[in-house]
Amino acid sequence: MAQTQRGPVKAALPRDSFAWCGESISYWAQRQPEAPAAGDATGRLLTYRELDAAIEATAAALADRGLGPGERLLILCENSLAAALSIFAA
């Protein structure tokens, strides 16, 4: 298995998996860090660098609360960047 900052990831992930999406964000954060990556209806826009850093910070906050890979997590919030960050960090 490959090792990432978010934990071990199988070498061949299905393209529809969240792990693949997270790795894709990290890939673009390294190659085009200032390119726009995500935005919301309020006009807030994150670059790939900012999005990757926010996902890592959210994952660390979840880990600090005892949640790790394979744990179940309920995310209840409106469609927003915060919702996307929570999903990718989980």
Side-chain angles (χ1 to χ4, degrees):
M1 274 191 229
Q3 183 69 28
T4 68
Q5 292 177 353
R6 291 183 189 88
V9 177
K10 292 181 182 175
L13 292 170
R15 289 180 93 57
D16 62 345
S17 74
F18 284 115
W20 183 85
C21 292
E23 292 306 308
S24 179
I25 291 167
S26 293
Y27 173 88
W28 287 109
Q30 293 172 6
R31 280 146 188 85
Q32 294 188 13
E34 300 309 315
D40 65 15
T42 67
R44 182 176 177 207
L45 181 66
L46 296 178
T47 64
Y48 278 103
R49 178 185 49 80
E50 293 168 329
L51 181 60
D52 192 50
I55 290 169
E56 291 295 332
T58 304
L62 292 172
D64 288 346
R65 288 166 177 78
L67 293 167
E71 299 282 338
R72 292 183 182 189
L73 173 67
L74 172 65
I75 300 171
L76 180 62
C77 56
E78 295 178 5
N79 288 340
S80 64
L81 283 175
L85 293 174
S86 298
I87 291 167
F88 285 124

